[in-house]
Amino acid sequence: MINKQRLIPLIVATALFMENMDSTVIATSLPAIAADIGTSPLTLKLAITSYLLSLAVFIPASGWTADRFGARIVFAAAVAVFMLGSIGCALSSSVTDFVFARILQGLGGAMMTPVGRLVLLRSVDKSALVNAMAWVTVPALIGPVIGPPLGGFITTYFSWHWIFLINIPIGLLGIFLALKYIDPIKSEDPERFDLVGLVLAGIGLAGIAFGLSVAGLNLLPWPIVAGLVGVGTVSMTLYLIHARRTGSPVLDFGLLRLPTMRASIVGGFLFRLGIGALPFLLPLLMQVGFGLSPFQSGLVTFASAVGAMGMKTLAARIIKAFGFRNMMTANAVVSSAFLAACALFTISTPLMLIFTILVVGGFFRSLQFTAINTVAYAEVEAPQMSRATTLVSVNQQLAVSAGVAVGAFSVETTLALHHQTELSADVFGPAFIVVSLISAASAWFFWQMPVDAGNEIAGRKAIDISSRKGAEKRAATDAVKAATEDTQNARDQRLG
């Protein structure tokens, strides 16, 4: 008999697999695609940011849509839309075609992952959440593992157009399994949809993120760039005012009153911003800076995903041993150090040394992502899960979009300071340093979490109970437990 507790995470993982495969394949093949359609790799990053912006704009509607029409139907339809976008990418012959196809993919992705995560959160007990997240993420990491070498191989020896058609059989399998095995979870009393909030938040997110991403590319005049950011800022301000007056906002910033959610959102944004630049900068360094072919570059850069897969079986044990706060604070610094190490790569650096640094760095980065994704829901009650997944998903995509923009802007700034017009290996170092410092800054926000943050989902209470020996230790443990409960009650009263 099929165990749905294991099968549902695997079905959700098909969506993550497609998204991760797509992003890593595009990053590896970006120079070849740019050359074929007559543009520069830095300009073509619009294809990456347009996808991420599409996600950010449409994700706010995902929670309500799943409640209203049922998670199963929404998930399957989202996979189908993503597949159509993939076909559009394969048929593109210009930057405009490519960007529009990526926006369509973003519309599908905006529903796929958040709705899948919502299904998971409603199906799994909090005490088993870390392992469930690992079950979701391990298959999804196969995408980044085989994406770079496969994409590089296809681009080098065939044509980049074929890399997007990989999604089609995977998507069909995901749709079949979703319709067959996911229960039609549907809210009996869905909240009124906040259309005004969706429009205001969409304009705000798109204006700010898109304006920042094109700044410095000389694609648009500076007054237009400033106007985009200005309109976005005004729209987000209006949304914040609107959100206080509605009972069902599309983005519920009230959840930031929860210490674990606040740390996951703010600290997670900074960490993802730094790490999000890596898949963009590293393939460019390998291909443009070091002169490797897309296939050779893919064989090197997939090392990060190898390390990430190695970590997934250990994540629950590590978090259980050290706790969320201590582990996330220290690991943010360690992960950022491995990111900064990429600045030391030169054309004479042995590829095996680069591979080793990326494997070990990938291990620590993946551990941090697992913790960030899990601790966000530590204090969220069941009725708030839909809003929580929406907020987390928007934050995640904006952080990655900002990471690509900051990484590219750092490279362009270095080019200008060196009075160069062509990319070379020595202009990438400062960009890696900048994004690693931003990523390391997240440690301060993780340290602000309570000492007992996420103990329930980390399983640390079980350790306390099993280690009681003697009346003295039992009394001390009871005192700690009482203090913990008092802390939780105080939090609840603050939130009430």
Side-chain angles (χ1 to χ4, degrees):
M1 183 176 177
I2 296 176
N3 185 349
K4 283 194 175 184
Q5 293 293 319
R6 296 283 175 86
L7 184 61
I8 289 177
L10 291 176
I11 295 172
V12 174
T14 61
L16 293 176
F17 177 87
M18 287 199 299
E19 282 200 276
N20 289 328
M21 167 80 85
D22 220 53
S23 60
T24 51
V25 162
I26 285 182
T28 302
S29 306
L30 205 61
I33 299 173
D36 190 51
I37 63 178
T39 187
S40 71
L42 286 179
T43 301
L44 198 60
K45 85 182 184 73
L46 281 174
I48 297 177
T49 49
S50 62
Y51 171 76
L52 296 173
L53 288 175
S54 181
L55 286 176
V57 170
F58 292 111
I59 281 174
S62 62
W64 179 87
T65 306
D67 287 343
R68 175 68 178 81
F69 299 103
R72 180 175 63 182
I73 295 297
V74 172
F75 181 82
V79 174
V81 171
F82 190 88
M83 289 165 54
L84 289 175
S86 298
I87 295 172
C89 288
L91 299 176
S92 297
S93 58
S94 68
V95 176
T96 303
D97 294 342
F98 202 68
V99 167
F100 276 114
R102 292 290 285 165
I103 290 174
L104 185 60
Q105 278 189 312
L107 173 59
M111 298 291 169
M112 276 196 314
T113 306
V115 172
R117 188 180 290 130
L118 182 60
V119 170
L120 191 68
L121 289 168
R122 287 177 172 172
S123 306
V124 176
D125 186 75
K126 278 189 176 183
S127 61
L129 197 54
V130 175
N131 281 324
M133 286 290 185
W135 271 97
V136 166
T137 315
V138 169
L141 285 171
I142 297 175
V145 169
I146 69 174
L150 180 61
F153 178 80
I154 293 174
T155 302
T156 302
Y157 299 107
F158 295 95
S159 169
W160 63 265
H161 301 82
W162 290 97
I163 62 179
F164 294 99
L165 301 179
I166 300 171
N167 290 330
I168 306 308
I170 301 167
L172 291 174
L173 177 63
I175 291 174
F176 170 76
L177 293 175
L179 294 177
K180 186 172 179 64
Y181 294 109
I182 291 180
D183 294 329
I185 302 171
K186 194 175 182 179
S187 175
E188 295 297 328
D189 185 25
E191 296 176 330
R192 184 179 62 85
F193 183 57
D194 183 18
L195 179 60
V196 173
L198 178 65
V199 172
L200 289 174
I203 294 174
L205 294 171
I208 294 172
F210 188 74
L212 293 176
S213 68
V214 298
L217 282 180
N218 296 321
L219 294 177
L220 296 172
W222 274 104
I224 295 180
V225 174
L228 285 170
V229 176
V231 169
T233 303
V234 170
S235 186
M236 279 305 296
T237 303
L238 292 174
Y239 171 75
L240 291 174
I241 296 172
H242 165 79
R244 294 175 182 174
R245 300 174 178 174
T246 181
S248 55
V250 291
L251 291 177
D252 188 0
F253 291 106
L255 291 170
L256 295 180
R257 291 176 294 178
L258 302 171
T260 49
M261 175 62 80
R262 184 167 61 248
S264 178
I265 292 293
V266 182
F269 181 90
L270 292 174
F271 185 79
R272 289 184 187 279
L273 188 152
I275 304 303
L278 184 64
F280 172 73
L281 292 173
L282 200 57
L284 280 179
L285 173 63
M286 293 292 151
Q287 295 178 50
V288 180
F290 295 169
L292 300 181
S293 71
F295 183 43
Q296 291 170 320
S297 170
L299 289 175
V300 174
T301 56
F302 92 109
S304 293
V306 172
M309 288 196 67
M311 185 285 310
K312 287 304 174 183
T313 56
L314 301 175
R317 298 179 192 175
I318 294 173
I319 295 172
K320 193 172 186 178
F322 298 100
F324 278 102
R325 190 183 76 157
N326 294 336
M327 190 282 294
M328 293 173 73
T329 302
N331 195 49
V333 177
V334 173
S335 299
S336 301
F338 278 96
L339 179 59
C342 296
L344 302 176
F345 295 163
T346 67
I347 197 166
S348 59
T349 306
L351 287 181
M352 186 52 65
L353 178 59
I354 295 177
F355 189 88
T356 302
I357 290 174
L358 294 177
V359 168
V360 179
F363 177 93
F364 289 108
R365 286 191 293 272
S366 186
L367 174 61
Q368 193 76 353
F369 285 143
T370 298
I372 291 171
N373 291 338
T374 308
V375 79
Y377 306 102
E379 298 173 281
V380 178
E381 300 297 330
Q384 298 173 306
M385 281 297 182
S386 179
R387 295 185 193 175
T389 57
T390 299
L391 187 63
V392 168
S393 297
V394 167
N395 181 72
Q396 179 177 334
Q397 299 305 331
L398 277 181
V400 176
S401 179
V404 173
V406 170
F409 186 76
S410 299
V411 171
E412 292 151 9
T413 302
T414 305
L415 274 174
L417 293 176
H418 288 186
H419 304 290
Q420 295 177 225
T421 56
E422 298 293 330
L423 291 174
S424 60
D426 59 345
V427 302
F428 288 93
F432 282 114
I433 296 297
V434 168
V435 295
S436 66
L437 290 174
I438 295 173
S439 188
S442 66
W444 189 85
F445 294 95
F446 298 135
W447 182 249
Q448 300 305 306
M449 290 191 296
V451 177
D452 63 334
N455 272 8
E456 179 185 354
I457 55 179
R460 287 174 65 79
K461 289 182 178 179
I463 295 177
D464 293 340
I465 294 170
S466 64
S467 63
R468 293 175 189 167
K469 294 180 181 178
E472 184 177 346
K473 179 170 272 190
R474 188 159 52 246
T477 304
D478 289 341
V480 171
K481 182 178 178 182
T484 301
E485 290 174 350
D486 289 341
T487 302
Q488 292 171 339
N489 289 336
R491 284 193 215 124
D492 292 338
Q493 290 171 3
R494 264 201 322 271
L495 295 174

